[in-house]
Amino acid sequence: MQNPYLPYPVRIDEIITETEDKNLKTFKFVFLNPEDEEKFAYRAGQFAELSIAGKGEIPIGIASSPTEKGFVMFTVNKVGLVSTHLHAMQVGDIMGIRGPLGNSYPWDVVKGKNLVIIGGGFAFTTLRSSIIYLLDPQNRADYGNIDVIYGARTPGMLLYRDELAEWEARDDINMHITVDGTDDPDWKYNTGFVPTIADQKAPPGDDDTYAIICGPPIMIKFTQPVLDRNAYAHDHIIMSLENRMKCGVGMCGRCNIGREFVCKDGPVFTLAELNKTPKEY
Amino acid sequence: MEILKIKKDDLSKGLDALKKSYRLFGPAKTESCHEFKRLEQDEQPDFNFSNTRLSPKAIIYPQSETMFTYSLDENDEDAHILKEVNSLDAPQAVIGIRPCDADAFLLVKRNFDAPDYKDPYWLNAYAKTTLVGLACEKPCPTCFCTTAGSGPFSERGVDILLADAGDDYLAKVITDKGSALAKAAGWDAPSDPDSATEEIERLKTAAEEKISSHVETDHLDKIDTTALHQAPFWEDTAFACINCGTCTFLCPTCWCFDIQDETCGAKGERLRNWDSCMFPIFTVHGTGHNPRGTKKQRVRQRFMHKLKYYVDKYEIGIQCVGCGRCIRSCPVNIDIRKICNLMNHYKPDTVEEPAS
Ligand SMILES: Cc1cc2nc3c(=O)[nH]c(=O)nc-3n(C[C@H](O)[C@H](O)[C@H](O)COP(=O)(O)OP(=O)(O)OC[C@H]3O[C@@H](n4cnc5c(N)ncnc54)[C@H](O)[C@@H]3O)c2cc1C
Ligand code: SF4
Ligand code: SF4
Ligand code: FES
């Protein structure tokens, strides 16, 4: 019997400090047993439990894309027990990864459609995975227009800044980067909260356009009316939830919203689905 | 299906024989109540009980159990890598489990034996366990098993069902596991099948007639989830609750758990421990945000899970076998029967009906 709680052993291969406050670090992991990488075959939007013996596990969205081989990558905010310990670990240290878990963004449903990707703060991780996946030469032709609205408090709080700049330069993806505010005179992108920029830049909703939103509750709360105003149907609004988790496989009972488990039936739901469940997220 | 006749004296002889190959558990009297415990060489179960205060769920699903071990000693080749522990391999048996509690394992199994994931700890322990049920002849006033999908003579989930027929037990052997256990115990005296069946039916009818309390569940699957979640009665229902968690702790059909690492020196274990939806920490995020931060939200979760989400998810009835433990032990008299009936009769657009 496959033990769903047993992590694959991994080694930390690279650590990148992402933000000016140093609270967000990206970790690249390499599997100790190469065959485990195949078993860890994942889709953009899934997550994994990062497992540190002696500390515990945390559910973290997979930030690398299935099209990137040889490593898996996560970006972790320093919050509490496990994430703080992880931030103090070094390249070469051994830990575990359990997954992939959850359902992923509905790539089969959005095939051939236009996508508006809206992200805020550090919840951009699985959106990075998605963008890398979409821009892969093997996949790009399968999707329509791609708009990305991504914001952080300040320029120094944006994740993956080198990649954002690369994407800005491309003509097969429309980037709308924004910050809440900045005193940097050279800032050449938008200034304003994500919902405001979304209102200005998001294409109008129609049958062939889907919005994927990932961000703090407050951003989601104010973005939803914007999408409503721009005629996005609720089954065309896709969101990823973060409930407290332990098992990640629908057994420990804590992450439910109604009968759905965020860990197993989610974390990705359409707004139409969420409208039918108790708002316990 | 075979019905054996076991002379009361032969029961203990059989159990002694079983101890050679099975770890046995049975009801035993403690200071204030009965609890299931391991029966050592010279111990016999005490059948003079209505039901135990705690459910026997810990025999298959320990309150705390080791999932993995690890070493943090850098000199160890496998430092920081979790290792699986040896699982229970000897057979075990619970002697005198009440039918409702045996049925509860079937309800819980749906959670641990999902199509996509299997919980190896629970499933292995369940597979190794034989359940010898003891039919109830004197149900308590708080038992409502007959309307909760079980019953004092329910055969669901038991491998053998014993019925007390005066000088003998009539033992209905229901599964292969049950017949293997009967053989190992040396219980092989057949009864006259017709008269034994008739006798069991008579006892069963008499016991069922003594069940005086009921729940109504026929509308639960028809009510809209979000409307029920918004019903006005949750405020009142939760008012007296002190979130002590007694209800979930005692309940044979509650299965929620936590996972924690415990290190001692350079060695440690990843453990799983029972947890409870009644505690605020169960759902609090690292950021402090808590989707079920209030008592009302937690009480509602407990009842909605048992009486609505489970009902909709599995379509086989409520996640409760009517054992009545949570009613008997709640310090503020919160009564699932009353809440079940409130939920079942709730009509979102009309005035709330009084509790029946
Ligand atoms: C599907 C999903 C994807 C996520 N993706 C990311 C990501 O890409 N980057 C990131 O920085 N954070 C992400 N989070 C949030 C992250 O899981 C929490 O910040 C983290 O668990 C905090 O753990 P801690 O031990 O540092 O904090 P503590 O407060 O000490 O938490 C103790 C334990 O509680 C649980 N827990 C606490 N908060 C949360 C929470 N918000 N969600 C789930 N479990 C929690 C964990 O088991 C944790 O070990 C995600 C959460 C979910 C559910
Ligand atoms: S036993 Fe009663 S008071 Fe305690 S948590 Fe349960 S319902 Fe609340
Ligand atoms: S909810 Fe109460 S009555 Fe139902 S099985 Fe659990 S303890 Fe027994
Ligand atoms: S994390 Fe255990 S049920 Fe979802």
Side-chain angles (χ1 to χ4, degrees):
Chain A
M1 201 184 312
Q2 174 83 22
N3 186 333
Y5 305 103
L6 183 67
Y8 299 121
V10 293
R11 183 170 39 79
I12 302 179
D13 198 44
E14 193 183 346
I15 302 175
I16 305 154
T17 302
E18 291 282 350
T19 53
E20 60 190 5
D21 69 354
K22 302 196 171 48
N23 256 334
L24 279 144
K25 285 188 182 176
T26 293
F27 297 83
K28 278 192 183 174
F29 298 101
V30 174
F31 291 91
L32 290 193
N33 309 314
E35 65 276 15
D36 290 345
E37 184 178 345
E38 271 156 56
K39 291 192 221 149
F40 194 86
Y42 61 95
R43 296 182 301 276
Q46 288 189 287
F47 69 99
E49 289 280 352
L50 303 190
S51 172
I52 303 176
K55 296 295 164 191
E57 297 188 316
I58 49 174
I60 302 289
I62 306 173
S64 50
S65 151
T67 53
E68 297 172 299
K69 301 294 178 195
F71 67 94
V72 279
M73 177 178 125
F74 301 83
T75 301
V76 180
N77 191 24
K78 190 160 98 180
V79 179
L81 182 79
V82 180
S83 54
T84 303
H85 187 86
L86 182 60
H87 269 242
M89 287 173 73
Q90 308 292 326
V91 168
D93 286 351
I94 304 294
M95 50 179 280
I97 292 183
R98 187 156 72 78
L101 302 168
N103 62 353
S104 88
Y105 297 115
W107 296 111
D108 46 342
V109 177
V110 299
K111 201 160 222 172
K113 311 288 182 182
N114 305 317
L115 290 171
V116 184
I117 293 174
I118 305 176
F122 61 85
F124 196 61
T125 56
T126 58
L127 298 181
R128 178 210 177 260
S129 170
S130 303
I131 294 167
I132 300 279
Y133 171 79
L134 289 166
L135 294 181
D136 189 88
Q138 295 276 319
N139 300 326
R140 183 63 192 90
D142 289 340
Y143 300 89
N145 298 331
I146 303 173
D147 282 84
V148 176
I149 299 151
Y150 170 43
R153 288 202 305 279
T154 61
M157 290 302 290
L158 289 163
L159 297 178
Y160 319 126
R161 284 190 292 275
D162 294 345
E163 285 170 331
L164 294 178
E166 272 170 45
W167 300 336
E168 273 286 351
R170 294 175 69 127
D171 58 9
D172 57 354
I173 180 167
N174 309 315
M175 296 298 293
H176 313 285
I177 299 169
T178 183
V179 292
D180 296 355
T182 177
D183 43 22
D184 177 359
D186 296 331
W187 177 249
K188 44 183 194 288
Y189 310 114
N190 303 285
T191 314
F193 295 122
V194 167
T196 317
I197 305 301
D199 207 10
Q200 295 162 7
K201 310 281 181 171
D206 60 32
D207 236 17
D208 290 328
T209 307
Y210 282 78
I212 298 181
I213 319 181
C214 228
I218 185 86
M219 183 205 94
I220 291 180
K221 186 173 164 208
F222 288 106
T223 304
Q224 196 193 313
V226 168
L227 292 175
D228 280 345
R229 193 157 59 239
N230 286 283
Y232 281 76
H234 285 183
D235 61 357
H236 281 49
I237 301 177
I238 298 162
M239 314 215 285
S240 187
L241 300 187
E242 288 190 6
N243 273 17
R244 185 182 178 120
M245 295 180 182
K246 283 287 171 173
C247 70
V249 293
M251 290 185 184
C252 78
R254 76 194 56 232
C255 71
N256 72 301
I257 46 166
R259 57 183 268 192
E260 317 288 341
F261 287 111
V262 174
C263 64
K264 189 167 96 169
D265 306 311
V268 176
F269 297 94
T270 65
L271 182 56
E273 288 166 334
L274 292 179
N275 290 340
K276 286 189 242 146
T277 71
K279 304 258 164 303
E280 292 184 349
Y281 45 87
Chain B
M1 201 182 311
E2 195 184 8
I3 303 179
L4 303 170
K5 192 178 216 162
I6 307 172
K7 283 214 182 60
K8 284 202 170 160
D9 291 344
D10 289 347
L11 188 81
S12 42
K13 264 185 250 159
L15 294 181
D16 285 338
L18 279 182
K19 284 177 192 157
K20 293 192 190 79
S21 43
Y22 288 81
R23 283 152 34 102
L24 292 192
F25 296 82
K29 187 150 177 44
T30 66
E31 257 167 48
S32 54
C33 54
H34 277 78
E35 303 296 8
F36 279 92
K37 65 180 285 287
R38 176 85 191 265
L39 299 174
E40 302 300 342
Q41 214 45 53
D42 52 348
E43 288 175 315
Q44 291 294 326
D46 176 4
F47 281 178
N48 189 19
F49 77 125
S50 56
N51 206 351
T52 52
R53 185 178 51 172
L54 289 172
S55 85
K57 70 179 167 187
I59 297 169
I60 284 174
Y61 178 47
Q63 190 186 344
S64 184
E65 104 183 274
T66 306
M67 307 176 82
F68 303 105
T69 58
Y70 54 83
S71 162
L72 302 179
D73 182 347
E74 301 300 336
N75 299 318
D76 281 342
E77 194 186 333
D78 287 336
H80 307 285
I81 296 178
L82 296 172
K83 298 281 156 202
E84 292 191 78
V85 293
N86 288 335
S87 51
L88 178 76
D89 52 4
Q92 56 179 19
V94 190
I95 311 297
I97 188 172
R98 291 302 188 184
C100 59
D101 290 337
D103 201 354
F105 286 122
L106 292 184
L107 292 196
V108 171
K109 185 165 184 279
R110 295 192 178 85
N111 184 60
F112 288 122
D113 190 8
D116 41 4
Y117 294 108
K118 312 278 172 202
D119 185 286
Y121 309 97
W122 194 96
L123 288 173
N124 178 55
Y126 181 74
K128 293 275 158 26
T129 308
T130 305
L131 301 175
V132 179
L134 178 63
C136 290
E137 266 144 53
K138 293 194 211 74
C140 321
T142 41
C143 293
F144 57 100
C145 51
T146 46
T147 45
S150 187
F153 276 66
S154 166
E155 292 167 16
R156 287 156 46 120
V158 292
D159 298 299
I160 295 181
L161 186 65
L162 302 176
D164 188 333
D167 297 335
D168 315 294
Y169 289 106
L170 292 174
K172 206 166 188 179
V173 181
I174 292 153
T175 65
D176 292 345
K177 260 187 189 173
S179 84
L181 180 135
K183 195 178 276 168
W187 297 327
D188 54 7
S191 60
D192 168 49
D194 291 340
S195 67
T197 307
E198 216 170 280
E199 175 70 354
I200 292 174
E201 273 311 309
R202 194 184 61 76
L203 292 168
K204 178 177 171 185
T205 311
E208 285 178 353
E209 278 167 3
K210 287 186 202 137
I211 303 271
S212 55
S213 74
H214 307 284
V215 288
E216 285 153 39
T217 58
D218 54 327
H219 275 100
L220 290 169
D221 62 342
K222 298 176 189 77
I223 312 172
D224 178 65
T225 304
T226 45
L228 195 53
H229 190 261
Q230 292 306 317
F233 56 73
W234 293 116
E235 200 73 54
D236 270 358
T237 300
F239 178 73
C241 176
I242 55 171
N243 276 174
C244 63
T246 301
C247 47
T248 58
F249 188 78
L250 302 175
C251 175
T253 65
C254 276
W255 64 67
C256 291
F257 62 86
D258 188 20
I259 301 175
Q260 290 289 336
D261 286 8
E262 223 167 78
T263 311
C264 186
K267 301 259 181 256
E269 296 183 342
R270 179 157 291 170
L271 302 168
R272 94 148 140 214
N273 304 319
W274 292 356
D275 206 342
S276 172
C277 60
M278 285 291 150
F279 303 148
I281 200 174
F282 191 61
T283 48
V284 70
H285 293 197
T287 55
H289 170 67
N290 195 343
R292 291 197 285 266
T294 69
K295 163 167 94 173
K296 170 179 141 185
Q297 289 167 325
R298 295 191 288 277
V299 170
R300 175 171 61 192
Q301 161 66 15
R302 174 172 165 240
F303 291 114
M304 286 290 281
H305 186 206
K306 287 193 176 295
L307 305 172
K308 178 62 181 167
Y309 307 150
Y310 188 95
V311 171
D312 289 349
K313 186 166 191 136
Y314 297 109
E315 299 179 345
I316 52 104
I318 58 177
Q319 184 204 330
C320 164
V321 290
C323 74
R325 284 187 181 86
C326 59
I327 306 168
R328 290 193 289 280
S329 291
C330 175
V332 300
N333 297 321
I334 289 176
D335 189 332
I336 189 171
R337 294 169 297 187
K338 193 176 134 197
I339 293 149
C340 184
N341 291 341
L342 266 179
M343 289 171 70
N344 192 57
H345 292 296
Y346 182 60
K347 299 207 173 53
D349 294 317
T350 56
V351 186
E352 210 181 326
E353 292 191 11
S356 47

